[in-house]
Amino acid sequence: MAMEVTQVLLNAQSIDGNVRKHAEESLKQFQEQNLPGFLLSLSGELANDEKPVDSRKLAGLILKNALDAKEQHRKLELVQRWLSLDINVKGQIKACLLKTLASPVPDARSTASQVIAKIAGIELPQRQWPELIGSLLSNIHQLPAHVKQATLETLGYLCEEVSPDVVDQDHVNKILTAVVQGMNASEGNNDVRLAATRALYNALGFAQANFSNDMERDYIMRVVCEATLSPELKIRQAAFECLVSISSTYYEKLAPYIQDIFNITAKAVREDEEPVALQAIEFWSSICDEEIDILEEYGGDFTGDSDVPCFYFIKQALPALIPMLLETLLKQEEDQDQDEGAWNIAMAGGTCLGLVARTVGDDIVQLVMPFIEENITKPDWRQREAATYAFGSILEGPSPDKLTPLVNVALNFMLTALTKDPHNHVKDTTAWTLGRIFEFLHGSTVDTPIITQANCQQIVTVLLQSMKDVANVAEKACGALYFLAQGYEEVSPSSPLTPYFQEIVQALLTVTHREDAGESRLRTAAYETLNEVVRCSTDETAPMVLQLVPVIMMELHNTLEGQKLSSDEREKQGELQGLLCGCLQVIIQKLGSSEPTKYVFMQYADQIMALFLRVFACRSATVHEEAMLAIGALAYATGPDFAKYMPEFYKYLEMGLQNFEEYQVCAVTVGVVGDICRALEDKILPYCDGIMTQLLKDLSSNQLHRSVKPPIFSSFGDIALAIGENFEKYLMYAMPMLQSAAELSAHTAGADDEMTEYTNSLRNGILEAYSGILQGFKNSPKTQLLIPYAPHILQFLDSMYMEKDMDDVVMKTAIGVLGDLADTLGSNAGSLIQQSLSSKDFLNECLSSDDHMIKESAEWAKLAISRAISTMEVTGLQYVTNSCVSMVSLGSRFCHGGEVGGIALKMWVKESVKKVE
């Protein structure tokens, strides 16, 4: 096979389908029968300059795909497979790859760079291939420029693949030195300079120590700023991308350079080509993001020793920054309003202006208003559109007191412009701006209403008229109506929109049937707006919402009639089914929320459920998700009567729980398990073995996305609440899994924000499980079955409290669990709570919380604990002590830290699943 691999690789790219298929099967067979030989052949092909470029590129691509995958479980398999290869085989492959960096063929060099980085990402964390970085650095001094370029590219990819803590500081210093020298203006070869600049972008995360050293930081910043002035466009663009990255990674180090950076970015925005100008604007957007985060986190109260002080770069730059951004708004492209993926200087400038408004608040208004007043009535559409865009961009950030007088003056003008302006782009931006006005300055939280009895009818009339305009304008008009309706969400018993409800609904349904409804997201926007209008409606319009049910049902029925469709048509039909299921979900929730409307709605329940079951047969992920959510709403509305649908629905519920690949569908299905438990209570019992088996399988799977696991734990609590003491048979499977997950989630030292957020989500799921199980067993003779687990639950609460990183949601659930423990186990929990390291402190902290939900839960928990302690008995104490010992022994079997414990638990879970089955 090695002899003919070249031809097979070429055949695998043939336009003849049969030839291509045969070649792909040959490659697959070679890989399965002799992996080392297969990988050696590919690396040899890539390294051989006498071979065709196409076969070399594909060889490199297959090699790369043999080392990495998007799915985490597959990636781990490939890593283990590479690590288990014979060391000599790996050595030969790596030698071929390093040799390829000197190839005169650019595609071969670039592919080899990527493969080397993938191997480095596997081996360097294992302390393997220690000579790699030294070998690459020695290449930097090679005479041929293309070797230098390929080596710098490799170093860049390597920094992207490898964590900074894997590379020692001496190597980091040498990499940065090589990269920065390659960027220097004295480097005569532009390919080398570009590769170096791109490599620096990836290496910035490694440069913490270097940016803390004034001299080294000055040198890096000087070279980056010089590169923004290169004659070569791609180098200038890459240099600005470095500046953007530096602005977020090293914000606190920027003060000495900010004036120079402003001058450089202003020149680029005004004079340079679009790819460079966009990055120059992005620098200021990134600074805004940093300052918004700091101001939100610290509330502007900075002390001298604050970890991340705010330097107020945006506030200081305002007088020069605002005119620069306003100029960009006049650089629109002719048809950008009709191109969903459009991104240009005007759009980037407007986005940045919006971020500046959020950063500095009221200060921006006086700087932008003269531009708006000067341009809003100009004959040139570009000036009118820019003025409108500027106004819409500054509506989030400044106070309502500052903006309301301006909006009151502008509103009538904008309503006229929306129907009368001759240019579609101006109308598009006007509708968007009206939507922003309604989103930020209309609603129960705004003191001075901008929408009154006097102008409400005019606003509705204009928006409904605009919904007949071209697709992009109509879509923005739908968006404006969405926020108009949302602002009346908490108005009852009567809403100012009630007189127009029927007209609004009819207009939105008409939009969904437009021939061009597939353009500019128009149909989606119309259904989303219809949903919001229904959701925010009052009891007065309930009869009209009820009339909508058969209309939407008929629409859904029509999509299910068996016509033969192309794959493209099938996809569009699937999207429409998803929108209609989403609409029915909102209607069901609305009508199910009050007894009179729920009673009348029930006449449709059987037909709706039949439609949803037909939708499942379509097997589209988006439809599954929307139909599943709608069924959750139907279960809530129908209550115990939902039991009659379970025999037919159960198979789809099981399919949803098994849908690992489309994990959002799996997550939604887990949520629906909770809805059904609450609806059916103990009538869910016949289905619990199957549901619990599948949930346990999900938890022990490496393939399922981690975000689904917290709601799975929560669903244990839902099931226990529904079936009470009948949950006994699942305790021996569920509790050790909860304990293992609790230990993993208890400590978060060194975790980043994303990991901390996930950990809190996981904790909340575990706590909701404990809460449901404790409440489910309350007042049952089998309560004593939970006593052995109480010490671990308290230990979990203690460790979370000690970590001091619970969010408010977790804190509320945690104090609730403490109360549940006392309430369910009574005197048996009293002594344990008294002995707990932190229960008293935790309770006191919650009692003094500003969050009334936490405080309320804490007050209930305090009462429950008082009752438990007051009824405590000596025999109870003795029983708990004995149970503690047995529990500690059980816990240590499954929850011992480290890999061995994890593997033991996983093996045990698989056995558990078999037993439940």
Side-chain angles (χ1 to χ4, degrees):
M1 182 72 186
M3 294 293 289
E4 54 192 70
V5 76
T6 304
Q7 193 55 51
V8 177
L9 287 166
L10 292 172
N11 288 350
Q13 301 169 73
S14 169
I15 54 172
D16 184 324
N18 290 327
V19 173
R20 192 170 63 249
K21 187 179 178 186
H22 180 70
E24 286 168 354
E25 285 171 357
S26 297
L27 288 169
K28 187 180 178 186
Q29 191 178 1
F30 186 10
Q31 183 173 3
E32 287 169 355
Q33 290 176 357
N34 182 3
L35 180 67
F38 178 68
L39 298 177
L40 278 168
S41 291
L42 294 174
S43 60
E45 185 78 14
L46 180 59
N48 191 336
D49 284 332
E50 293 176 8
K51 298 291 185 178
V53 174
D54 286 344
S55 70
R56 296 175 74 184
K57 276 171 66 177
L58 184 57
L61 181 63
I62 296 171
L63 254 181
K64 192 173 87 166
N65 291 340
L67 299 163
D68 196 15
K70 285 182 181 176
E71 297 84 12
Q72 193 61 27
H73 70 281
R74 178 65 182 150
K75 184 172 183 168
L76 290 170
E77 285 173 14
L78 295 176
V79 166
Q80 288 306 316
R81 190 176 77 173
W82 172 263
L83 290 171
S84 63
L85 281 176
D86 180 79
I87 193 166
N88 294 321
V89 171
K90 289 189 286 189
Q92 289 176 61
I93 292 168
K94 290 186 285 193
C96 284
L97 291 167
L98 289 170
K99 176 189 168 190
T100 311
L101 295 181
S103 168
V105 179
D107 282 336
R109 294 198 305 270
S110 184
T111 307
S113 292
Q114 293 172 56
V115 181
I116 290 168
K118 291 291 179 192
I119 295 173
I122 296 171
E123 294 203 350
L124 293 185
Q126 307 288 330
R127 300 286 177 234
Q128 297 179 20
W129 210 1
E131 70 278 13
L132 170 64
I133 293 175
S135 170
L136 290 171
L137 290 168
S138 67
N139 272 1
I140 296 289
H141 307 296
Q142 295 286 326
L143 265 182
H146 70 264
V147 178
K148 197 171 180 178
Q149 176 270 331
T151 304
L152 286 164
E153 188 176 348
T154 308
L155 287 169
Y157 285 134
L158 186 148
C159 291
E160 194 175 18
E161 290 291 332
V162 174
S163 170
D165 55 14
V166 167
V167 183
D168 64 60
Q169 190 57 44
D170 181 51
H171 271 145
V172 169
N173 293 341
K174 286 175 179 172
I175 289 171
L176 284 169
T177 300
V179 166
V180 175
Q181 282 177 355
M183 288 175 67
N184 221 311
S186 59
E187 171 56 60
N189 185 294
N190 278 338
D191 290 340
V192 170
R193 209 173 168 204
L194 178 60
T197 310
R198 287 176 174 167
L200 179 66
Y201 178 85
N202 289 327
L204 284 167
F206 290 69
Q208 297 283 352
N210 311 83
F211 263 78
S212 297
N213 179 305
D214 291 355
M215 193 181 298
E216 290 182 33
R217 184 177 67 249
D218 286 347
Y219 181 54
I220 294 170
M221 291 301 293
R222 180 173 65 76
V223 171
V224 172
C225 289
E226 282 175 3
T228 65
L229 306 174
S230 164
E232 183 67 30
L233 182 142
K234 285 185 177 177
I235 294 173
R236 295 198 303 279
Q237 183 182 349
F240 273 111
E241 285 170 0
C242 288
L243 278 181
V244 172
S245 180
I246 289 166
S247 70
S248 58
T249 313
Y250 300 108
Y251 167 86
E252 71 282 2
K253 305 290 186 188
L254 280 179
Y257 318 102
I258 204 75
Q259 184 59 55
D260 288 339
I261 292 173
F262 179 81
N263 295 337
I264 291 166
T265 52
K267 183 176 168 54
V269 170
R270 290 190 170 111
E271 300 172 17
D272 214 327
E273 295 181 56
E274 184 170 272
V276 179
L278 287 172
Q279 288 303 318
I281 296 169
E282 183 61 25
F283 173 85
W284 292 102
S285 292
S286 177
I287 293 287
C288 287
D289 285 334
E290 290 301 309
E291 297 197 346
I292 288 167
D293 286 348
I294 293 166
L295 293 168
E296 281 179 358
E297 187 171 347
Y298 294 90
D301 302 325
F302 298 112
T303 56
D305 59 351
S306 174
D307 286 347
V308 187
C310 184
F311 288 98
Y312 298 101
F313 292 136
I314 299 297
K315 197 169 188 173
Q316 290 167 33
L318 271 185
L321 184 61
I322 295 302
M324 177 186 88
L325 292 174
L326 292 173
E327 280 177 42
T328 66
L329 304 187
L330 294 160
K331 297 181 180 180
Q332 308 98 320
E333 289 171 6
E334 197 69 44
D335 299 320
Q336 72 179 46
D337 55 320
Q338 290 166 39
D339 179 3
E340 285 183 53
W343 187 248
N344 54 43
I345 292 175
M347 298 176 81
T351 301
C352 188
L353 192 66
L355 288 167
V356 172
R358 288 177 56 200
T359 310
V360 302
D362 288 358
D363 292 350
I364 197 171
V365 177
Q366 65 198 29
L367 295 170
V368 174
M369 283 312 295
F371 175 85
I372 296 168
E373 289 160 358
E374 184 185 337
N375 290 286
I376 197 78
T377 56
K378 286 284 171 73
D380 183 349
W381 74 265
R382 290 179 182 279
Q383 290 172 288
R384 296 197 308 279
E385 193 278 335
T388 311
Y389 191 18
F391 190 52
S393 297
I394 64 167
L395 292 169
E396 183 186 8
S399 64
D401 289 347
K402 189 81 173 175
L403 292 172
T404 301
L406 302 172
V407 168
N408 282 330
V409 172
L411 192 57
N412 206 46
F413 180 89
M414 303 200 88
L415 291 169
T416 305
L418 185 52
T419 51
K420 301 279 176 63
D421 197 285
H423 202 280
N424 279 341
H425 196 153
V426 178
K427 289 195 281 188
D428 179 289
T429 306
T430 303
W432 172 79
T433 299
L434 284 167
R436 300 262 297 173
I437 289 171
F438 302 150
E439 182 179 2
F440 299 114
L441 295 166
H442 159 58
S444 58
T445 55
V446 179
D447 294 335
T448 313
I450 52 165
I451 300 169
T452 61
Q453 268 190 315
N455 63 16
C456 187
Q457 183 174 1
Q458 183 197 4
I459 290 168
V460 172
T461 303
V462 167
L463 292 179
L464 297 190
Q465 188 179 333
S466 293
M467 280 156 52
K468 298 171 185 170
D469 210 321
V470 294
N472 58 292
V473 175
E475 186 264 334
K476 301 292 192 307
C478 287
L481 186 56
Y482 177 100
F483 289 114
L484 180 67
Q486 192 178 78
Y488 291 122
E489 182 179 357
E490 294 174 17
V491 176
S492 61
S494 182
S495 162
L497 290 186
T498 297
Y500 317 108
F501 185 86
Q502 191 82 47
E503 192 183 354
I504 289 169
V505 168
Q506 193 51 57
L508 288 164
L509 289 173
T510 303
V511 169
T512 67
H513 292 127
R514 280 175 51 156
E515 283 187 22
D516 60 352
E519 297 173 20
S520 298
R521 281 189 74 256
L522 179 54
R523 182 179 288 113
T524 302
Y527 276 115
E528 285 173 353
T529 304
L530 178 60
N531 294 349
E532 198 65 4
V533 168
V534 169
R535 195 179 69 80
C536 300
S537 63
T538 61
D539 291 344
E540 292 176 305
T541 49
M544 288 179 264
V545 175
L546 204 55
Q547 289 169 18
L548 198 51
V549 177
V551 175
I552 303 297
M553 282 171 60
M554 183 53 71
E555 298 272 352
L556 185 55
H557 172 80
N558 291 340
T559 69
L560 293 164
E561 290 310 289
Q563 63 270 47
K564 289 191 174 178
L565 301 172
S566 68
S567 61
D568 190 41
E569 286 170 330
R570 207 164 34 246
E571 187 181 342
K572 286 178 181 172
Q573 183 198 56
E575 285 173 15
L576 178 55
Q577 287 172 348
L579 291 168
L580 291 164
C581 287
C583 188
L584 281 170
Q585 180 201 349
V586 173
I587 293 171
I588 293 165
Q589 286 170 332
K590 190 69 188 175
L591 295 173
S593 62
S594 74
E595 286 304 319
T597 53
K598 189 199 305 192
Y599 179 77
V600 184
F601 163 74
M602 282 307 155
Q603 65 183 298
Y604 298 112
D606 290 357
Q607 293 164 273
I608 289 178
M609 190 65 191
L611 282 171
F612 290 155
L613 292 172
R614 285 182 67 190
V615 168
F616 280 122
C618 295
R619 300 303 302 274
S620 159
T622 51
V623 169
H624 269 224
E625 195 174 336
E626 295 296 339
M628 204 49 97
L629 284 165
I631 281 175
L634 189 64
Y636 180 81
T638 53
D641 290 344
F642 191 82
K644 65 182 174 182
Y645 306 127
M646 281 301 291
E648 202 171 343
F649 170 60
Y650 177 73
K651 64 182 175 186
Y652 296 114
L653 186 77
E654 199 166 58
M655 278 165 54
L657 294 175
Q658 291 166 354
N659 197 340
F660 288 0
E661 286 191 13
E662 293 148 354
Y663 67 88
Q664 296 94 335
V665 176
C666 188
V668 164
T669 310
V670 170
V672 170
V673 167
D675 293 331
I676 294 170
C677 286
R678 285 183 284 278
L680 297 186
E681 295 182 336
D682 60 358
K683 287 185 182 176
I684 189 77
L685 196 54
Y687 305 96
C688 282
D689 281 4
I691 291 170
M692 281 298 294
T693 299
Q694 195 52 55
L695 292 174
L696 288 165
K697 281 181 178 175
D698 287 356
L699 282 174
S700 57
S701 165
N702 288 328
Q703 294 176 39
L704 185 60
H705 196 276
R706 70 179 191 182
S707 64
V708 187
K709 299 196 175 183
I712 290 176
F713 284 124
S714 295
S715 69
F716 285 0
D718 295 326
I719 293 167
L721 266 174
I723 65 173
E725 64 181 32
N726 292 302
F727 195 80
E728 173 193 354
K729 66 193 285 193
Y730 310 120
L731 281 176
M732 62 187 290
Y733 310 111
M735 292 307 256
M737 294 199 87
L738 284 164
Q739 289 176 10
S740 177
E743 289 195 353
L744 286 171
S745 73
H747 306 294
T748 56
D752 59 21
D753 289 348
E754 187 184 343
M755 191 62 199
T756 302
E757 188 179 335
Y758 173 72
T759 302
N760 273 318
S761 167
L762 185 60
R763 289 168 172 176
N764 200 56
I766 295 162
L767 290 166
E768 285 180 343
Y770 282 142
S771 180
I773 292 166
L774 287 163
Q775 289 179 43
F777 276 82
K778 191 184 173 187
N779 298 328
S780 159
K782 296 181 179 177
T783 302
Q784 75 274 9
L785 293 171
L786 300 182
I787 294 171
Y789 303 106
H792 192 282
I793 295 172
L794 277 167
Q795 187 186 333
F796 179 43
L797 294 173
D798 279 342
S799 59
M800 281 194 300
Y801 178 72
M802 300 298 187
E803 287 285 311
K804 300 291 183 193
D805 61 355
M806 282 186 279
D807 61 23
D808 286 351
V809 176
V810 173
M811 190 173 273
K812 178 189 172 297
T813 319
I815 198 63
V817 167
L818 189 63
D820 289 329
L821 205 58
D823 194 40
T824 298
L825 299 183
S827 59
N828 291 308
S831 62
L832 289 171
I833 292 170
Q834 281 187 316
Q835 292 161 25
S836 158
L837 296 171
S838 62
S839 290
K840 188 177 178 183
D841 292 343
F842 181 36
L843 183 62
N844 288 335
E845 191 174 307
C846 291
L847 285 166
S848 58
S849 171
D850 294 334
D851 186 311
H852 79 277
M853 302 280 283
I854 293 173
K855 197 170 184 176
E856 206 174 276
S857 294
E859 283 165 355
W860 173 81
K862 185 181 179 183
L863 281 172
I865 292 166
S866 299
R867 281 197 304 270
I869 291 171
S870 66
T871 57
M872 208 159 58
E873 294 173 3
V874 175
T875 51
L877 279 169
Q878 185 60 49
Y879 185 82
V880 171
T881 307
N882 293 341
S883 301
C884 277
V885 174
S886 63
M887 187 58 213
V888 167
S889 139
L890 178 66
S892 64
R893 279 171 54 205
F894 298 112
C895 304
H896 195 67
E899 275 302 302
V900 178
I903 292 164
L905 176 72
K906 191 168 287 186
M907 289 168 64
W908 178 84
V909 165
K910 285 182 178 169
E911 287 302 312
S912 302
V913 169
K914 284 179 192 167
K915 286 177 191 170
V916 177
E917 287 176 322

